Amino acid sequence: SKRPIQFGNLLACLLHNNLEHNVYLASVAITSCRKCCAWGTALQILVETASANVELDTIAYNAAVSACEKGDQWATALS
């Protein structure tokens, strides 16, 4: 499905244009991935957000775990 790719591209575009990378934006992108069962993209966004020194919150982590759950990736969600 195209939506997680679009959100991933949106996130990259915003960062390229020096817009603030924040936990809210990351959570929206991760939630979109969850809805599309794109658990790999969700985890990539989570890692990239943490690498940008953005403090992640419970909402972002829960969205990522939910994306893994929806993609039947329980072992990945727990690691």
Side-chain angles (χ1 to χ4, degrees):
S1 52
K2 294 181 181 178
R3 191 163 37 182
I5 294 168
Q6 290 171 346
F7 271 105
N9 290 341
L10 173 64
L11 188 59
C13 180
L14 291 174
L15 294 176
H16 178 72
N17 289 306
N18 296 320
L19 295 176
E20 182 181 351
H21 190 164
N22 60 53
V23 69
Y24 176 75
L25 179 62
S27 295
V28 168
I30 294 168
T31 299
S32 172
C33 293
R34 178 184 55 82
K35 291 179 180 179
C36 299
C37 298
W39 62 272
T41 304
L43 293 180
Q44 180 181 358
I45 293 168
L46 190 74
V47 168
E48 289 174 4
T49 302
S51 295
N53 295 321
V54 174
E55 187 174 338
L56 296 167
D57 62 7
T58 305
I59 295 168
Y61 284 115
N62 284 343
V65 169
S66 293
C68 291
E69 172 198 6
K70 196 156 188 182
D72 290 327
Q73 298 294 319
W74 279 105
T76 303
L78 296 175
S79 63

